[in-house]
Amino acid sequence: MYHAKSAGKNRTQIYTPLLGTKSAAEIRRDLMNAMENGELYLEYQPKICTRRRKVISVEALARWDHPEIGLYLPKFWVPVLMGSHTMNRLGEWVVAQAMRDLEILRSNGHDLWMSVNIGSDHFVAPDFIETVEAIQKEQGFDRSLLEIEVTEDALFTSEQRAIAAFNGLHDLGYRISIDDFGSGYSNITRLASLPVDFLKIDQSIISAANQNARARTILASTITMATDLGCFTVAEGIETDRQAEFATLMGANCLQGFYFTPSLPMDELSIWLNEQNGPQGHSYLRADTEP
Ligand code: C2E
Ligand code: MG
Ligand code: MG
Ligand code: MG
């Protein structure tokens, strides 16, 4: 099961997990143990390049196979970790694990890079770049194969430290993206002064654009402005062919969403990539809808 919707009538079992009965400190401690016990694992959701019609990268998404409740999705426990040491440990675990998996995918002939989500407090932590560099040195991957996704909160928490982190990572050769753009108090003018490689436009903007013309205008001008500022755009949460089509026509560089596939564990991802990323590329758009 990939999302709560598919739980149907049992949904409450998933929506009220532990949070009512355990303190934040207990959940954090449980998660630390989960990382050690192998209860935590990663799934990967592909991003499709609209021009090449190919999967160009995958996003690592944490999954917790919880002994009491089964699949425990991050939206329930990531907020509990905000600002804690556990969030930093999670980030390091994810980078190391995701880059090991990327190595396997690449050695199987999949020319991809990897993105990981990093909590905004972790991103601005003084030792963040150091810990990423330590993992890079240990594993020896090419830095351009790692993309760090961070939300704009990082800029609100500590603008100076965030700017330093953006510049430091960029200068070392990592890629950086702003996640969930448009879901909060977004400020596109900030992009002008930051070395952002990708702007990930939040699902809420995509689904609003599906409903009304004014939201479509906002989406189109966001894509245009980001592009003019030298930033690639990713449309998140694409669920229908119509959404894929309008986002492509508006100039989004990448698409990601359930329309293509939800996140997949490694074994299923390899199969999916072999099927979908053949010589013809992904067949999501017919030739006549190409811009
Ligand atoms: P995100 O980084 O914006 O990831 C996208 C989320 O939207 C994922 O949920 C993904 O499964 C879901 N999604 C993708 N396509 C669609 C779609 O077409 N429709 C709908 N309705 N949903 C879609 P997930 O995996 O539950 O993650 C939720 C959030 O939890 C992530 O949002 C991210 O902020 C956070 N998260 C996940 N893994 C990690 C992690 O390893 N570290 C940190 N710090 N945060 C994580
Ligand atoms: Mg993300
Ligand atoms: Mg996102
Ligand atoms: Mg999101």
Side-chain angles (χ1 to χ4, degrees):
M1 168 185 7
Y2 292 102
H3 48 122
K5 249 187 266 176
S6 54
K9 293 208 167 65
N10 294 324
R11 189 169 17 185
T12 45
Q13 245 65 54
I14 295 174
Y15 274 115
T16 51
L18 303 184
L19 295 176
T21 52
K22 291 201 181 188
S23 69
E26 283 173 304
I27 291 172
R28 288 176 197 157
R29 197 202 48 219
D30 289 354
L31 183 72
M32 290 294 265
N33 292 333
M35 271 186 262
E36 279 157 30
N37 301 339
E39 286 167 28
L40 208 69
Y41 64 99
L42 293 174
E43 288 190 343
Y44 298 97
Q45 190 180 35
K47 295 178 201 172
I48 288 106
C49 167
T50 53
R51 186 175 57 81
R52 297 173 58 209
R53 298 173 181 218
K54 290 213 169 211
V55 178
I56 52 168
S57 74
V58 292
E59 176 177 3
L61 294 160
R63 297 289 177 261
W64 186 350
D65 184 12
H66 195 283
E68 291 159 46
I69 51 178
L71 176 60
Y72 195 17
L73 288 171
K75 64 178 164 189
F76 301 113
W77 48 268
V78 162
V80 180
L81 307 180
M82 289 301 178
S84 74
H85 172 74
T86 311
M87 184 72 117
N88 301 16
R89 292 285 84 77
L90 171 72
E92 289 156 21
W93 181 87
V94 170
V95 170
Q97 185 59 41
M99 296 314 281
R100 279 194 291 269
D101 283 345
L102 181 67
E103 178 61 33
I104 295 170
L105 292 167
R106 291 181 63 81
S107 69
N108 289 337
H110 300 297
D111 183 16
L112 304 170
W113 75 83
M114 177 65 71
S115 72
V116 298
N117 294 282
I118 293 295
S120 48
D121 293 309
H122 188 197
F123 186 81
V124 301
D127 65 347
F128 176 65
I129 295 184
E130 240 171 82
T131 55
V132 172
E133 280 286 280
I135 299 167
Q136 187 277 330
K137 296 229 159 58
E138 197 184 315
Q139 298 190 13
F141 54 80
D142 188 318
R143 292 182 180 89
S144 67
L145 296 177
L146 175 57
E147 173 187 337
I148 310 261
E149 297 193 9
V150 68
T151 60
E152 287 172 290
D153 304 3
L155 291 155
F156 302 127
T157 319
S158 169
E159 184 151 15
Q160 286 318 308
R161 283 197 283 151
I163 291 170
F166 273 99
N167 289 325
L169 289 163
H170 174 81
D171 292 348
L172 285 164
Y174 296 100
R175 302 186 207 222
I176 315 165
S177 52
I178 303 251
D179 203 356
D180 300 343
F181 187 82
S183 65
Y185 300 98
S186 295
N187 182 349
I188 203 163
T189 58
R190 278 225 185 80
L191 289 181
S193 58
L194 288 174
V196 173
D197 297 294
F198 291 91
L199 190 70
K200 298 194 74 181
I201 302 168
D202 193 64
Q203 184 186 356
S204 58
I205 309 266
I206 306 299
S207 68
N210 201 31
Q211 313 291 329
N212 72 80
R214 293 171 70 87
R216 271 194 293 286
T217 304
I218 292 171
L219 175 62
S221 36
T222 302
I223 292 173
T224 302
M225 200 181 309
T227 305
D228 290 349
L229 289 168
C231 198
F232 290 103
T233 50
V234 181
E236 289 194 289
I238 297 285
E239 293 185 341
T240 64
D241 55 350
R242 181 169 184 265
Q243 292 172 350
E245 194 174 314
F246 70 64
T248 302
L249 291 169
M250 287 174 187
N253 301 105
C254 301
L255 309 178
Q256 190 180 18
F258 291 169
Y259 174 60
F260 303 101
T261 177
S263 60
L264 299 168
M266 270 295 271
D267 52 344
E268 289 177 40
L269 176 69
S270 295
I271 296 166
W272 190 90
L273 286 171
N274 285 329
E275 285 170 4
Q276 307 282 321
N277 232 15
Q280 312 312 318
H282 196 284
S283 59
Y284 78 94
L285 285 177
R286 304 272 75 83
D288 57 346
T289 58
E290 204 167 17

